[in-house]
Amino acid sequence: MTKLQAVAGLVALSILIAFLAVACGSNPNEHIQSNEFFRPGADGDSEPSSAADDADQSGQEQGGSAAQTQEAEGADQQSTSADQADQADQQDASQEQAAADEQAEQDDEDSSPAQDAGPIETSDDIVRRYTNPSYGYSFELICSPFCDPNSNGIDRVSFLSETGRALIGVDVVQDDGTDSETLLRSSLSLPDGVEFDAIVETTTVTGEAAERYDWDEDRRATGGFQVRWHALLVRVEDVAIVLRAGAVLEDYEGVASALDRALTTFILPLELTARPGRYDRFDFVIGYDPADVSQEFGQPTSNPPSAEAGIFVLQSTTALKAVLTWQVLGEAFYDGDTAIQQSLRDSLGIENVSGLREWSLVDGQPARTGETETQFGEGLMKIQSFAWYCRDGGREFALHVLDPDDPESVALPLIESFRCSAEGDASEADGDEQ
């Protein structure tokens, strides 16, 4: 963990890295937009090539010469115009064909990349717009210093600069109805001693009311840095979204424009369909504690997560808590014990599973379970695994829950909340309301 991450109060990811050594590779985000914004050349559009100019001039001269010849022949040789008219018609046809050929060549040049215009001039910075796949909000990141626009986060995303001394991130939390300052402090875990230099009412690009907070946070006494922070708080429906941007004070001036760019380009969708504590992006549902850090990975990790395959990860404030994997599979090929063993190996790098046996139903589907232990520090971490098959969507699911004492008790709320289909879960919720 970098010192800036400690300042920001981010959750330590060392345990997640240890357990997800296989799954935590490159995971491209499918919602990165506009890889580059090109700046036009200083002289504007390139001038037409000399060959095109010569062709245009030649066509004009041929047209003028042909017209003069036709007028002279019409005035002096009307009595013998039959043969000459045929000749004039041939000239006209030849000239029309030449003009058509020239126009076709010009069209080809216009539609193809300019070869004589030289290289395209680009801006000094590359701008990418990150869009959160669950909530749909977006903002711009400038490279450099923020050259990695990929994040596996769901309710919480963060982007470190190349130096690790500047950070941009977003937290989506449940709106508990408290005043905005208390809500901001709670969502960012700010120490009580932090005082805001300014609180300004503003709006987002899309017009939602927002508040901007500016402050410095000094943790040099505990081995940290003095960091300058800005935050944008937007309260929408029953959630609050906090966009934070900051840098070590010594580096602040060099990255200030990039930090401000994220704040001033923040865009919200017309409607927020996701909520903290509920994961249902790929037409299945699992509930979780909103206090946990939720992330998603592709399977394999070189791909983004999809309805066909993916990994959903939960991490508490201290350790990895749960890993849910899914993949499309023909029902004839499904075997619960194999699903547990393969998923445990591929996602957590653990081979040994014992006590494989039947488990009660998961959303009406029969399930299997098994246990294993792994060395963690000076003690042991217990893991209980579950697997089941959903005919809705034809997918195999495997859930691995980690706890030093009782992983089954941790797993029960997750299992009870699981639904094979988001549509079915919505129907059940409607029935409960009635």
Side-chain angles (χ1 to χ4, degrees):
M1 177 188 292
T2 65
K3 291 184 178 180
L4 178 62
Q5 286 173 297
V7 173
L10 297 178
V11 176
L13 296 181
S14 58
I15 299 174
L16 178 62
I17 294 172
F19 280 110
L20 290 179
V22 178
C24 287
S26 174
N27 185 45
N29 187 302
E30 75 271 32
H31 295 271
I32 303 303
Q33 302 171 353
S34 300
N35 281 342
E36 297 173 353
F37 291 165
F38 286 107
R39 181 178 297 161
D43 297 331
D45 295 335
S46 60
E47 295 296 328
S49 66
S50 58
D53 289 340
D54 294 342
D56 289 342
Q57 183 64 29
S58 175
Q60 293 172 1
E61 291 175 354
Q62 290 178 4
S65 175
Q68 294 172 1
T69 300
Q70 291 172 8
E71 290 176 0
E73 289 176 347
D76 298 336
Q77 302 179 15
Q78 292 181 0
S79 60
T80 59
S81 62
D83 294 337
Q84 295 174 352
D86 290 340
Q87 183 179 3
D89 290 341
Q90 292 175 1
Q91 288 180 339
D92 290 342
S94 177
Q95 292 161 7
E96 290 174 0
Q97 183 62 41
D101 291 342
E102 291 167 3
Q103 184 62 46
E105 291 176 0
Q106 184 64 42
D107 291 343
D108 289 340
E109 291 176 359
D110 292 342
S111 62
S112 61
Q115 297 179 354
D116 299 330
I120 298 175
E121 294 187 20
T122 64
S123 62
D124 293 335
D125 299 318
I126 298 174
V127 180
R128 294 181 174 93
R129 176 169 286 276
Y130 166 80
T131 301
N132 184 273
S134 292
Y135 293 97
Y137 65 77
S138 68
F139 56 91
E140 291 180 0
L141 294 168
I142 297 179
C143 172
S144 80
F146 297 99
C147 294
D148 183 4
N150 299 306
S151 174
N152 301 99
I154 299 173
D155 303 324
R156 175 182 296 174
V157 303
S158 57
F159 304 94
L160 275 175
S161 67
E162 296 167 303
T163 63
R165 291 162 62 91
L167 179 141
I168 294 173
V170 180
D171 293 85
V172 181
V173 299
Q174 293 176 328
D175 191 339
D176 57 9
T178 59
D179 64 274
S180 296
E181 183 175 335
T182 301
L183 183 59
L184 180 81
R185 288 181 179 275
S186 175
S187 64
L188 298 183
S189 301
L190 294 180
D192 295 335
V194 169
E195 296 183 0
F196 298 115
D197 299 326
I199 303 176
V200 180
E201 293 185 359
T202 182
T203 58
T204 68
V205 174
T206 42
E208 291 84 7
E211 291 176 297
R212 175 166 172 159
Y213 295 76
D214 303 324
W215 74 98
D216 286 354
E217 189 173 347
D218 192 348
R219 293 197 176 181
R220 289 174 293 182
T222 57
F225 292 97
Q226 187 174 7
V227 182
R228 178 154 295 169
W229 288 105
H230 309 286
L232 192 69
L233 171 65
V234 188
R235 306 176 81 156
V236 183
E237 301 170 3
D238 57 346
V239 301
I241 302 176
V242 179
L243 169 62
R244 65 196 188 283
V248 173
L249 193 58
E250 297 172 356
D251 300 352
Y252 179 80
E253 292 301 325
V255 299
S257 60
L259 302 179
D260 191 63
R261 181 78 172 244
L263 294 166
T264 58
T265 59
F266 184 72
I267 294 176
L268 278 170
L270 294 177
E271 180 182 5
L272 293 178
T273 57
R275 291 295 183 274
R278 174 187 168 96
Y279 184 74
D280 62 352
R281 196 156 85 88
F282 299 113
D283 195 33
F284 67 85
V285 177
I286 188 167
Y288 60 93
D289 186 347
D292 292 336
V293 176
S294 55
Q295 294 180 291
E296 57 184 4
F297 297 84
Q299 188 182 178
T301 55
S302 57
N303 296 328
S306 68
E308 285 69 37
I311 305 173
F312 173 70
V313 176
L314 288 176
Q315 186 184 1
S316 70
T317 56
T318 58
L320 181 66
K321 182 175 181 178
V323 176
L324 175 72
T325 71
W326 67 93
Q327 63 175 339
V328 170
L329 185 72
E331 186 173 6
F333 299 98
Y334 166 73
D335 179 81
D337 294 353
T338 302
I340 289 174
Q341 294 168 337
Q342 180 177 321
S343 174
L344 192 62
R345 181 185 67 246
D346 293 347
S347 62
L348 299 178
I350 297 174
E351 296 283 354
N352 57 313
V353 184
S354 61
L356 291 167
R357 63 191 184 277
E358 291 185 0
W359 175 259
S360 59
L361 301 179
V362 178
D363 192 23
Q365 309 304 313
R368 298 283 292 177
T369 189
E371 297 92 13
T372 188
E373 292 181 347
T374 185
Q375 191 72 31
F376 179 72
E378 298 180 355
L380 291 176
M381 178 69 73
K382 295 180 180 179
I383 304 174
Q384 185 158 357
S385 302
F386 308 83
W388 62 93
Y389 187 84
C390 288
R391 291 182 176 86
D392 288 343
R395 289 180 289 193
E396 166 191 284
F397 289 85
L399 174 67
H400 311 286
V401 178
L402 300 86
D403 188 81
D405 300 315
D406 187 6
E408 182 175 331
S409 64
V410 177
L412 285 176
L414 298 173
I415 291 175
E416 292 170 355
S417 70
F418 182 87
R419 295 293 179 271
C420 287
S421 170
E423 182 177 349
D425 182 66
S427 300
E428 181 176 308
D430 293 340
D432 293 341
E433 291 178 0
Q434 294 174 0

